[in-house]
Amino acid sequence: FAAIVVATVTCAGNIYWADANNGNDDYTGTAREWAGGATDAQGKEIGPRKSLKAAMALAKSGDTVYALPGDYKDEVDSMTRT
């Protein structure tokens, strides 16, 4: 059993999403839901990443990663980046 608590914060950086149930680590991570096959300028499908690790790999200082409810199988070394 794992519980993730996400607080709403105001941020100036990018927002990334993880969804253990409906995500795909090949998606952009820039949308809360899969965009039905729509792609970004680089040709990647728009939608949430499946793993926390993949979503966090996108984030830089000042960015926010939201984890939607689900059972995440990956291990994450740190939830804070500076």
Side-chain angles (χ1 to χ4, degrees):
F1 173 76
I4 305 260
V5 177
V6 178
T8 303
V9 295
T10 303
C11 65
N14 296 312
I15 295 174
Y16 298 104
W17 295 89
D19 184 343
N21 299 316
N22 300 304
N24 183 317
D25 284 344
D26 291 328
Y27 292 168
T28 60
T30 57
R32 186 177 191 269
E33 297 178 346
W34 180 63
T39 59
D40 67 3
Q42 289 76 37
K44 288 191 86 137
E45 283 193 67
I46 298 169
R49 292 282 174 106
K50 183 167 187 73
S51 67
L52 289 172
K53 188 175 275 188
M56 289 182 67
L58 299 169
K60 295 178 178 40
S61 182
D63 292 347
T64 302
V65 175
Y66 289 104
L68 295 171
D71 186 12
Y72 293 89
K73 305 289 186 201
D74 54 329
E75 293 183 21
V76 179
D77 295 331
S78 173
M79 295 299 287
T80 304
R81 289 200 176 181
T82 56

